[in-house]
Amino acid sequence: MRTILIKLPRDRCDTDYIKQLMALANLAYRECEVWVPDVLKNIQYQLYGFKNFMGSLVFGTKPKRWFAKTWVPLETLRIYSNGSTKGNKSAPVVLDFRSNTIRLRQVCKNEPGFVVTIPMPRWVIDRIKEGGDIKFARIGLKGNEPYLALIAERKVEPYQPSSYMLVIDVNAWNNGIAWGLIKDGNIIKWKPERPRLSEIESLYDLSVRLSKEYGKLKRLGLNETEKARRLWKEIKKIRRKIYAKLRDYVQKLVHRLVRKALRHKALVIIDDMIEESRRELIEMKLPSGLRKLYLMYTRRFVKLLITQLEWYGIPYKLKRLPSTICPVCNHELIQLPSRTMVCPSCGFKAPRDLVPMHWVVRLAKTNGWALSLFIVTDNGR
Ligand SMILES: [Zn+2]
């Protein structure tokens, strides 16, 4: 399942109406049927028609609080270029592949026959080409701006893995992630990957410095001045830049790893050590804001990776792999400067990021584990 967010034209949308629909969706989640006289019947019908889908993957978990913001689930009608259709004829969202447009019927404004037409994103066409389908959409507000979320689903059986394994060792961003390609029990390629942290850290420092300056003005009651406003704008711009850089890096890295797995028909093993990474970051005395940011993008990386592995039917397994225990003799390893690990008992020596790969090789050689790896029914979640 993959999702894309599309910003809707603000001037064509009544945000109060969308808010009202979101409140109704929240009620529907709690199995309360509230029929509001001033909202169009067909929209309300389709909302309560979703009751049976509650708790399904498409709509995630139910909102934690009453009146929490719940995005409104919507059915879609798909009209393909040869004229054939799929879905409910009266669905509020129409994906028209003849004109490559999306029509939103009566969900942007509470007015009979009100339609908002937006261009079809390239993303949708690509997902359809890959055999996906978009049965559902959701509409909602994000920071008071109206958005449409399209949810692409694809049923795919994971392939039978070849003799290749792609091991992905996830650290926090400062140590990056490391991947290793293993063939027939040998590590044939290995590489640590890191974003350009110096760039991100200097942007972060700048944003902190400007925030302090802004705070000073605010305390003096000068936050309405032209200078303060410009400063605030600048801070927001820098923050957006940091997010964009990290997001971009995550997407490109996931894309490359997924291509690699597909090329070799590899079994993917993910060692996701978020907790350990968090501790490592605290020990490094990184500023807490930066620490949070790195962890957030580490989590995002794992989430996006799993989403895409599932989309392409790449078999994967989540597996904790030790990086401080000797893969030869089980003795505790000693860390030398520059993240090199050494075993005082048997002399094993390797970069820290490579230790998990050695563990996979060792475990794969012991029959039982190799066999259990190839039965990919439970992905360890
Ligand atoms: Zn050892």
Side-chain angles (χ1 to χ4, degrees):
M1 209 175 71
R2 293 172 73 176
T3 315
I4 190 179
L5 277 183
I6 306 162
K7 204 170 184 173
L8 295 173
R10 175 99 207 233
D11 56 326
R12 305 272 295 148
C13 298
D14 176 357
T15 49
D16 286 333
Y17 174 57
I18 295 173
K19 244 181 235 164
Q20 192 180 11
L21 290 180
M22 287 171 88
L24 287 174
N26 189 305
L27 289 169
Y29 264 102
R30 293 166 198 286
E31 307 198 24
C32 303
E33 266 192 46
V34 181
W35 291 84
V36 186
D38 60 336
V39 171
L40 291 160
K41 272 272 182 311
N42 55 340
I43 294 297
Q44 299 196 62
Y45 269 124
Q46 90 98 34
L47 195 58
Y48 294 111
F50 272 100
K51 272 208 306 194
N52 301 333
F53 296 98
M54 270 183 274
S56 83
L57 262 175
V58 179
F59 305 114
T61 47
K62 75 177 186 188
K64 287 179 189 71
R65 288 177 292 119
W66 281 91
F67 303 115
K69 280 179 187 160
T70 306
W71 284 46
V72 186
L74 304 167
E75 285 184 298
T76 67
L77 170 68
R78 286 85 74 204
I79 307 175
Y80 298 102
S81 45
N82 63 4
S84 67
T85 63
K86 253 192 208 168
N88 184 346
K89 289 264 184 301
S90 56
V93 178
V94 182
L95 303 172
D96 194 338
F97 295 100
R98 295 170 308 184
S99 54
N100 279 337
T101 52
I102 299 174
R103 287 193 296 280
L104 295 153
R105 305 194 280 206
Q106 287 166 6
V107 281
C108 295
K109 223 172 241 179
N110 192 14
E111 213 177 278
F114 188 81
V115 176
V116 170
T117 305
I118 54 171
M120 181 90 70
R122 178 82 232 166
W123 185 92
V124 174
I125 296 160
D126 289 344
R127 297 294 82 81
I128 298 290
K129 267 196 195 138
E130 288 170 344
D133 193 6
I134 296 170
K135 290 184 198 155
F136 305 104
R138 303 186 81 175
I139 193 170
L141 300 174
K142 200 178 149 211
N144 220 32
E145 293 292 328
Y147 279 88
L148 181 74
L150 295 176
I151 300 145
E153 288 176 277
R154 185 181 183 221
K155 279 207 171 52
V156 56
E157 282 291 311
Y159 58 68
Q160 205 54 36
S162 67
S163 58
Y164 280 92
M165 287 188 216
L166 179 64
V167 184
I168 299 169
D169 179 34
V170 182
N171 300 301
W173 278 134
N174 58 322
N175 291 316
I177 72 121
W179 60 263
L181 197 62
I182 295 171
K183 195 197 177 194
D184 298 319
N186 297 303
I187 303 169
I188 58 168
K189 231 188 220 169
W190 167 77
K191 201 177 167 224
E193 305 269 359
R194 278 176 193 86
R196 299 235 313 263
L197 292 178
S198 58
E199 204 179 8
I200 284 159
E201 273 158 34
S202 70
L203 280 172
Y204 179 82
D205 287 345
L206 181 61
S207 86
V208 170
R209 217 170 55 235
L210 295 181
S211 297
K212 274 188 190 145
E213 227 174 282
Y214 181 78
K216 233 181 265 163
L217 290 176
K218 208 173 168 186
R219 276 192 301 281
L220 293 169
L222 297 172
N223 48 326
E224 291 299 320
T225 59
E226 180 58 30
K227 189 186 172 196
R229 242 181 248 150
R230 235 184 306 146
L231 203 55
W232 182 236
K233 251 193 176 157
E234 184 65 22
I235 293 166
K236 285 215 309 215
K237 204 174 108 194
I238 295 166
R239 284 187 190 160
R240 270 203 304 273
K241 218 169 168 179
I242 297 174
Y243 294 143
K245 273 186 193 298
L246 285 168
R247 194 171 51 230
D248 191 52
Y249 182 77
V250 163
Q251 276 168 356
K252 283 194 179 132
L253 186 56
V254 166
H255 183 74
R256 265 200 307 153
L257 292 169
V258 165
R259 307 292 325 159
K260 211 181 284 298
L262 279 174
R263 200 160 52 237
H264 297 291
K265 283 221 178 291
L267 169 70
V268 174
I269 296 155
I270 307 165
D271 181 15
D272 163 18
M273 295 195 294
I274 302 285
E275 223 3 74
E276 209 168 294
S277 308
R278 196 178 66 86
R279 257 177 280 131
E280 211 178 343
L281 285 173
I282 292 172
E283 279 163 26
M284 285 186 62
K285 299 193 172 59
L286 273 183
S288 80
L290 203 54
R291 199 161 68 211
K292 271 187 205 137
L293 204 63
Y294 283 165
L295 275 172
M296 186 168 100
Y297 279 91
T298 310
R299 286 205 188 92
R300 211 169 263 195
F301 167 79
V302 174
K303 214 178 138 197
L304 190 66
L305 179 66
I306 289 175
T307 308
Q308 296 220 6
L309 293 175
E310 287 181 350
W311 178 268
Y312 291 108
I314 300 169
Y316 70 93
K317 195 103 183 164
L318 292 168
K319 181 92 188 162
R320 290 297 309 271
L321 298 163
S323 58
T324 57
I325 296 167
C326 178
V328 180
C329 72
N330 287 339
H331 198 283
E332 190 87 19
L333 294 170
I334 294 171
Q335 182 162 344
L336 302 178
S338 76
R339 285 171 66 86
T340 301
M341 306 304 280
V342 175
C343 176
S345 168
C346 74
F348 169 88
K349 191 176 172 187
R352 189 182 165 124
D353 292 333
L354 195 52
V355 177
M357 321 296 162
H358 282 288
W359 268 100
V360 170
V361 169
R362 176 183 161 174
L363 291 169
K365 276 179 183 157
T366 59
N367 239 346
W369 198 66
L371 277 178
S372 77
L373 272 182
F374 285 88
I375 307 165
V376 236
T377 44
D378 160 37
N379 275 317
R381 285 192 305 165

